[in-house]
Amino acid sequence: VQLQASGGGLAQSGGSLRLSCAASGFTLDMYAIGWFRQVPGKKREEVSCIRSSDDRTTYADSVKGRFTISRDNAKNTVYLQMNSLKPEDTALYTCATKSNGFCSGLEDLWGQGTLVTVSS
């Protein structure tokens, strides 16, 4: 049972990246999934979440209008499409399940991080 986050890399300011959060050993559509990011020395930030029951989404103000979270149940994967990237989006990104199916729930299972670096 694990989550695998991938898709990070180097992008230029204004560019795009798509992160993937793939599950193995369980079915993702039963869970709310959150994407988080952390920069050394700063508090971890939840950037987006997608609910299990109706795929309702939430976004941090810092990424609203630029990032889009979605899920593909056939691939057992949740995506984070990141557009109009800014240097301040540089961080280690990771995904996690929310135990109660709602974005207000506590994080349960974490994936490993994928590094996103945005150059100016």
Side-chain angles (χ1 to χ4, degrees):
V1 175
Q2 66 178 357
L3 289 175
Q4 179 87 20
S6 62
L10 178 64
Q12 291 187 333
S13 181
S16 299
L17 286 172
R18 188 177 77 161
L19 305 184
S20 299
C21 177
S24 58
F26 69 103
T27 304
L28 262 184
D29 63 0
M30 299 176 62
Y31 297 87
I33 303 297
W35 277 102
F36 301 80
R37 67 185 182 186
Q38 189 161 24
V39 176
K42 293 188 177 181
K43 186 179 178 181
R44 183 171 58 211
E45 176 186 23
E46 180 173 322
V47 297
S48 186
C49 182
I50 185 166
R51 201 160 72 174
S52 62
S53 58
D54 56 5
D55 285 353
R56 185 172 180 177
T57 59
T58 61
Y59 297 93
D61 288 342
S62 57
V63 306
K64 203 169 291 183
R66 300 188 297 121
F67 290 10
T68 303
I69 191 171
S70 63
R71 67 166 85 228
D72 185 335
N73 292 333
K75 295 183 178 180
N76 211 23
T77 300
V78 169
Y79 301 100
L80 185 68
Q81 178 67 45
M82 306 187 297
N83 298 329
S84 302
L85 283 164
K86 303 176 181 180
E88 52 262 44
D89 294 319
T90 295
L92 185 68
Y93 286 73
T94 190
C95 55
T97 60
K98 301 272 191 168
S99 57
N100 66 356
F102 292 92
C103 291
S104 58
L106 295 177
E107 294 78 38
D108 190 2
L109 176 68
W110 290 90
Q112 91 294 345
T114 186
L115 184 62
V116 171
T117 303
V118 183
S119 62
S120 58

